[in-house]
């Protein structure tokens, strides 16, 4: 699978996986909020559509006649995520104490809606690269070489996910030593991708790829650790209806795997001098 044909499919897959993480996470969190605001249904619908079109794109079922509809779905995900970030920021600021640690810990998570926007951006990038795959022109995104633009976007995405994980693990007082892993290895992957975006050198790609692989493993293993955390709540899995809401979020860790997949697509383009 060459970079020009393989990278769009990897990006579609990353968009679908990130959309799946958002769907499950927002479903749990908004269920806990009793869907008090009708707009709380929006991220569920948007992420579900992103999963569908992303999975089809990753499977190679991305005909040109469906391109406009797919781009519309991805663009709506970007918009829904941006609007959700605004609503979550308002939720934090309107509480007594405003922007405080307590509100950042227990109010609407600021980083969650941004993941939906990121999913849409990866999908739009996949669409753009797919249209350019059959041409001789050098693939570009936002007037930048596609590999460098994607490396920068991946770096920012990993950094934001690390910040959210660090906030929640700080709330949990890092009581399990493994809770340090998401705030130590992924930041190195973020720095490696930033390096690839600003000063691409082939000798750095191997390290970046290794760090992305470890980040992906952490994203998968994190589900197991969070499942163990749920089991340690009072009643364990027998009281799943409550403990899934009060325990560590199961859908959050796969976001690291999705971002690592997008990072691999960026490195493939960089190695192909795209």
């Amino acid at each position: 699978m060459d970079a020009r044909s393989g990278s769009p499919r990897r990006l579609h897959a990353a968009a679908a996986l990130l959309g799946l993480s958002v769907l499950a996470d927002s479903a749990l969190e908004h269920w806990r909020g009793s869907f008090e605001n009708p707009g709380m249904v929006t991220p569920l619908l948007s992420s579900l559509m992103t999963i569908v079109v992303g999975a089809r794109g990753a499977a190679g079922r991305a005909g040109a006649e469906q391109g406009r509809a797919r781009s519309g779905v991805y663009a709506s995900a970007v918009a829904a995520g941006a609007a959700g970030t605004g609503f979550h920021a308002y939720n934090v600021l309107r509480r007594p104490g405003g922007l405080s640690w307590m509100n950042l810990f227990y109010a609407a998570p600021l980083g969650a809606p941004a993941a939906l926007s990121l999913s849409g951006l990866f999908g739009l990038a996949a669409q753009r690269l797919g249209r350019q795959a059959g041409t001789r022109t050098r693939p570009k995104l936002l007037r930048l070489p596609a590999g460098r633009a994607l490396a920068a976007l991946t770096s920012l995405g990993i950094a934001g996910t690390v910040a959210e994980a660090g906030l929640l693990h700080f709330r949990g007082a890092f009581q399990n030593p493994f809770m340090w892993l998401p705030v130590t290895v992924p930041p190195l992957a973020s720095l490696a991708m930033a390096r690839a975006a600003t000063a691409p050198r082939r000798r750095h790609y191997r390290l970046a790829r290794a760090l992305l692989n470890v980040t992906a493993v952490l994203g998968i293993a994190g589900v197991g650790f969070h499942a163990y955390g749920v089991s340690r709540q009072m009643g364990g899995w027998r009281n799943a209806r409550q403990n899934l809401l009060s325990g560590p979020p199961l859908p959050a860790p796969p976001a690291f795997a999705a971002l690592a997949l997008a990072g691999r697509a960026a490195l493939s383009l960089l190695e192909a001098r795209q």
Side-chain angles (χ1 to χ4, degrees):
M1 185 182 295
D2 61 80
R4 280 204 169 195
S5 62
S7 293
R9 294 179 65 174
R10 288 194 187 100
L11 288 171
H12 281 302
L17 182 55
L18 200 51
L20 179 61
S21 177
V22 172
L23 174 62
D25 192 34
S26 59
L28 283 174
E29 294 296 328
H30 291 182
W31 179 33
R32 178 164 58 185
S34 302
F35 290 92
E36 180 182 0
N37 187 322
M40 295 169 79
V41 178
T42 302
L44 277 67
L45 297 176
S46 182
S47 57
L48 179 60
M49 291 189 295
T50 300
I51 294 168
V52 172
V53 299
R56 287 180 64 84
R61 299 173 183 175
E65 70 280 0
Q66 301 173 351
R68 184 173 299 178
R70 279 195 313 275
S71 295
V73 169
Y74 286 137
S76 68
V78 175
T85 301
F87 280 119
H88 282 207
Y90 172 73
N91 180 272
V92 171
L93 296 175
R94 72 182 178 89
R95 290 175 173 240
L99 191 62
S100 64
W101 285 113
M102 187 63 67
N103 289 336
L104 287 174
F105 286 153
Y106 296 105
L110 292 177
L116 181 56
S117 290
L118 199 58
S119 175
L121 288 173
F122 285 140
L124 290 173
Q127 289 289 96
R128 178 76 172 175
L129 291 175
R131 288 193 296 269
Q132 297 178 9
T135 67
R136 296 182 179 180
T137 59
R138 186 180 186 185
K140 289 191 175 183
L141 296 171
L142 299 176
R143 299 185 180 181
L144 293 173
R148 297 182 68 172
L150 281 172
L153 183 60
T154 303
S155 175
L156 290 173
I158 294 176
T161 306
V162 167
E164 186 174 9
L167 183 68
L168 295 179
H169 287 190
F170 178 60
R171 184 181 73 180
F174 290 95
Q175 56 182 321
N176 187 323
F178 287 107
M179 294 172 74
W180 287 100
L181 290 177
V183 295
T184 51
V185 177
L188 297 177
S190 177
L191 290 174
M193 294 308 294
R195 174 83 175 182
T198 56
R201 296 289 186 275
R202 286 184 178 273
R203 64 177 180 274
H204 300 313
Y205 297 160
R206 184 176 298 179
L207 175 60
R209 180 171 280 104
L211 290 169
L212 288 174
N213 289 342
V214 176
T215 298
V217 171
L218 287 177
I220 297 170
V223 178
F225 282 117
H226 282 203
Y228 173 69
V230 171
S231 72
R232 293 189 62 197
Q233 302 283 313
M234 185 174 295
W237 283 99
R238 295 188 303 275
N239 189 25
R241 183 171 181 176
Q242 177 177 337
N243 290 339
L244 281 173
L245 298 177
S246 61
L250 289 178
F256 279 121
L259 290 164
L261 185 59
R264 290 290 299 263
L267 289 177
S268 294
L269 289 169
L270 286 169
E271 287 178 329
R273 296 186 181 277
Q274 302 293 338

